[in-house]
Amino acid sequence: YQRRVHGDYQEIMIKEVEGEWAPTERLAQFEPEAPIAPIDYSEKFKTIMDIFRYALKIDEVSLRAYRLTAAVIFLNSGNYTAWYVRRKCLDSLPELKDKVKEEIEYLDIIAHDMAKVYQYWHHRRLIVQKFGSLPPNEYALLEKFHEEDDKNYHMWTYRMWMTEQFHLWDAEYKRVTAKIEENPKNNSAWSYRYFLQFHHTEYIKIGSAEIDFAKSYILKDPNNESAWVYYKGIVYFSPSKCVGDKAANASLAEKFKAEGELFCLKIRSSVTDNRFCRSFLVDIYKEKKETAKSAIDICIELIEVDKIRKNYWLWMKDKILLSFPEKQQYEKSQHQYY
């Protein structure tokens, strides 16, 4: 049954599953006499779902219930109850106790239709965890998903779990470095790299090298937002969240900010319309009274440079003014935005 889920065997699989249940073993979906917007279910869908409702009502856990879930999943892959019943059968039936490998094979077979189905990824995670080690074809399968959509949220989230579960930090670090090289603007790959590097390694050991890595991509393309976000994440988010002494982390982050200021000023002078370096400078300058005026001036630049976020930068300028009113002795006539 598992190998009949796709291709020319779809109809055969559903008919065989239907044949295992008597005509009386059905529970129709409740419908009012005159529904306002009736859903035009196919007869095949109605039949399988009527059987499934009956199985749920009597709480059946059996081989035929297990096979039934494959038909339900084929017709509606997002039916989380079908996935749950499938796992329940795997966990409860003696005949299926040693069939974890076969279940992984089933998941491999249907994978190409499941790229964006959360229930599939959740089920796969639980089954692989039960398997106890990384399945032989796991990387090949993930590569196929990556080729289809290199920003597939479910695939990356699963990859994070896989790395933690099987301690694949070093191997995945090499792989994600290659992924960023393939597509430097893939924010999902950058996010995954951040997870790999700052989730379990001391900030003080890797912070500088990771900033250099981000800078190298910014210099290649100053408008690569993914690299800028990674850079800012290291400076502002990582110190308090990473492994290591928090005070030492914070001290190192201040050093990174000073270096970041010089780097951003360099980009600002050479790329006149770059919003990312200016945004970074605002974050740095708005923290202190003595540099608040500079932050406001750059907000005014961003109102012109980053027009789509004009209202945000107007709000930010006013927020900084309210924070340090004694430092902002400007004539409103100096700027049209005051």
Side-chain angles (χ1 to χ4, degrees):
Y1 290 99
Q2 294 173 345
R3 296 185 180 277
R4 292 175 179 173
V5 176
H6 290 278
D8 296 334
Y9 298 104
Q10 294 168 0
E11 298 298 330
I12 297 173
M13 181 269 289
I14 289 175
K15 286 180 180 178
E16 288 183 354
V17 167
E18 182 183 345
E20 292 187 298
W21 300 78
T24 56
E25 295 178 308
R26 307 281 193 278
L27 180 60
Q29 177 173 294
F30 170 77
E31 292 282 3
E33 290 185 6
I36 295 173
I39 299 174
D40 188 21
Y41 297 116
S42 68
E43 288 303 315
K44 175 172 58 179
F45 185 90
K46 287 180 183 177
T47 300
I48 292 298
M49 291 309 299
D50 287 354
I51 295 172
F52 188 54
R53 286 188 206 94
Y54 175 83
L56 291 175
K57 182 180 179 181
I58 64 173
D59 195 24
E60 178 162 337
V61 178
S62 64
L63 287 175
R64 69 173 187 167
Y66 172 69
R67 290 189 284 266
L68 173 62
T69 62
V72 176
I73 289 166
F74 167 68
L75 294 169
N76 180 8
S77 59
N79 190 318
Y80 58 87
T81 307
W83 291 102
Y84 166 74
V85 171
R86 190 170 183 85
R87 286 193 298 275
K88 189 175 180 181
C89 291
L90 280 165
D91 291 338
S92 305
L93 298 174
E95 304 96 318
L96 299 178
K97 284 288 186 180
D98 298 323
K99 299 296 183 181
V100 177
K101 184 179 178 181
E102 286 78 0
E103 183 70 6
I104 292 173
E105 290 175 358
Y106 160 75
L107 293 173
D108 290 350
I109 291 168
I110 67 173
H112 66 280
D113 284 339
M114 301 289 173
K116 301 297 178 69
V117 180
Y118 165 77
Q119 290 81 1
Y120 168 85
W121 289 100
H122 180 65
H123 185 79
R124 186 177 192 93
R125 170 178 166 175
L126 294 175
I127 297 302
V128 170
Q129 188 171 5
K130 187 172 181 148
F131 186 63
S133 62
L134 196 66
N137 296 326
E138 206 69 1
Y139 273 120
L141 184 71
L142 290 175
E143 282 302 310
K144 288 181 180 178
F145 280 117
H146 191 91
E147 289 170 8
E148 293 173 4
D149 179 5
D150 63 4
K151 296 184 180 182
N152 184 336
Y153 169 82
H154 302 292
M155 182 264 293
W156 285 109
T157 304
Y158 176 82
R159 202 158 189 154
M160 290 170 68
W161 168 81
M162 185 182 77
T163 297
E164 282 194 294
Q165 181 71 20
F166 301 112
H167 306 288
L168 305 172
W169 303 101
D170 293 339
E172 284 294 277
Y173 173 75
K174 294 176 182 177
R175 290 175 186 274
V176 79
T177 301
K179 296 302 181 190
I180 292 173
E181 183 66 31
E182 289 174 13
N183 181 6
K185 292 187 177 181
N186 186 346
N187 56 295
S188 297
W190 284 93
S191 296
Y192 185 56
R193 184 185 178 95
Y194 188 93
F195 162 78
L196 292 174
Q197 289 297 82
F198 294 98
H199 189 71
H200 74 298
T201 308
E202 289 187 25
Y203 181 72
I204 202 165
K205 290 182 178 180
I206 60 171
S208 182
E210 288 304 298
I211 283 178
D212 288 344
F213 180 80
K215 282 181 178 179
S216 70
Y217 279 91
I218 291 170
L219 291 173
K220 292 176 185 176
D221 180 3
N223 289 314
N224 183 347
E225 184 172 8
S226 297
W228 279 106
V229 170
Y230 189 78
Y231 188 0
K232 288 179 70 173
I234 297 170
V235 174
Y236 281 99
F237 183 77
S238 300
S240 61
K241 301 294 183 181
C242 281
V243 178
D245 181 76
K246 304 304 179 187
N249 290 352
S251 177
L252 184 58
E254 289 302 315
K255 175 178 176 289
F256 291 156
K257 285 179 190 177
E259 294 172 352
E261 178 186 359
L262 297 176
F263 180 75
C264 289
L265 289 171
K266 178 182 176 182
I267 299 295
R268 181 189 178 200
S269 65
S270 59
V271 187
T272 56
D273 63 345
N274 187 277
R275 66 182 174 91
F276 304 114
C277 65
R278 288 170 171 80
S279 174
F280 203 158
L281 286 170
V282 170
D283 288 335
I284 294 170
Y285 289 153
K286 72 182 181 181
E287 296 179 344
K288 299 177 181 178
K289 291 181 180 180
E290 55 269 25
T291 55
K293 179 182 180 300
S294 296
I296 290 171
D297 290 340
I298 297 174
C299 282
I300 292 168
E301 286 182 27
L302 282 161
I303 291 167
E304 294 297 328
V305 170
D306 191 16
K307 291 184 183 295
I308 197 169
R309 296 170 187 80
K310 174 181 175 179
N311 289 337
Y312 171 78
W313 295 116
L314 284 166
W315 171 82
M316 179 59 71
K317 171 186 68 64
D318 292 341
K319 183 181 179 183
I320 298 169
L321 278 169
L322 290 172
S323 299
F324 305 113
E326 72 280 8
K327 300 296 293 182
Q328 316 310 330
Q329 303 301 323
Y330 298 143
E331 291 292 334
K332 290 189 177 182
S333 60
Q334 287 180 342
H335 295 288
Q336 60 175 312
Y337 300 111
Y338 277 88

